[in-house]
Amino acid sequence: MDIIKLSTDWARAEVFSAKIVWLFSVVEILAAIGFWYWGRTATARIFPWPLLVMGLFLVAVGAGLYGANNPRIARFENEAQLNPKAFLDAEIQRTAKSQQDLAMVFKILPGIIIIASLVIMLAPATGWRAISVTIILTAAFLMVVDSNTAARNDDYHTQLLQLSK
């Protein structure tokens, strides 16, 4: 298998994930506008701000994913041609670190969801409930995206290990 094709396909998939995050951020921002425009209840009037904040947060997350991975597509070919062994070793180390980081994410995000759920049950104020619901929505979405990223990273890491043999 060609290391350049393998690596660039992986980076393109990561760029696609960034675009999915951006799409969901637009959905959250549009929901905020909808609640602001059509919301009549006390809870509906509070939802625009948490949704807008989380939508902007997801814009930043998507920008980070895009900014980290889009330049790699061009760099991968140059680095792999200059020194294939060093490139392969660096990618193996990077994907191993990503596996550890993603494992931590899958501990933190469920913890955030549990805390936000407790706030919904225990906080009488509608503002805290709206914030908690928005946090749960965003954390659950990030878990979906990150589960796909983790599977793709594990597969990429395994293929890199096979190439290094």
Side-chain angles (χ1 to χ4, degrees):
M1 179 176 286
D2 183 25
I3 182 74
I4 296 170
K5 181 178 178 355
L6 177 67
S7 299
T8 55
D9 286 350
W10 173 84
R12 283 188 183 97
E14 289 296 305
V15 169
F16 178 75
S17 287
K19 292 175 183 178
I20 294 297
V21 170
W22 280 334
L23 178 65
F24 193 75
S25 70
V26 169
V27 169
E28 278 197 358
I29 291 169
L30 289 175
I33 293 168
F35 274 110
W36 174 77
Y37 187 72
W38 289 297
R40 300 290 176 247
T41 65
T43 304
R45 292 245 177 232
I46 291 174
F47 263 104
W49 295 110
L51 285 170
L52 183 63
V53 168
M54 285 301 178
L56 294 175
F57 168 73
L58 287 177
V59 167
V61 168
L65 279 171
Y66 187 85
N69 292 299
N70 196 43
R72 283 185 180 152
I73 295 170
R75 266 197 344 240
F76 277 162
E77 188 170 345
N78 294 335
E79 291 175 6
Q81 287 177 347
L82 289 175
N83 191 345
K85 177 67 173 143
F87 174 74
L88 186 59
D89 291 342
E91 280 299 287
I92 289 171
Q93 288 176 349
R94 189 185 58 73
T95 55
K97 183 182 180 316
S98 292
Q99 287 174 326
Q100 294 171 351
D101 294 346
L102 287 164
M104 184 181 301
V105 165
F106 285 113
K107 291 176 184 166
I108 293 171
L109 287 177
I112 290 171
I113 290 172
I114 290 168
I115 291 168
S117 299
L118 290 172
V119 170
I120 289 172
M121 292 187 297
L122 301 175
T126 56
W128 284 109
R129 289 181 178 176
I131 290 168
S132 296
V133 167
T134 305
I135 288 171
I136 291 169
L137 173 72
T138 305
F141 169 74
L142 289 173
M143 285 181 65
V144 169
V145 171
D146 286 345
S147 67
N148 190 29
T149 299
R152 187 172 44 248
N153 187 68
D154 290 346
D155 185 50
Y156 180 50
H157 183 75
T158 301
Q159 290 177 10
L160 290 171
L161 289 174
Q162 288 174 352
L163 286 173
S164 70
K165 292 180 182 177

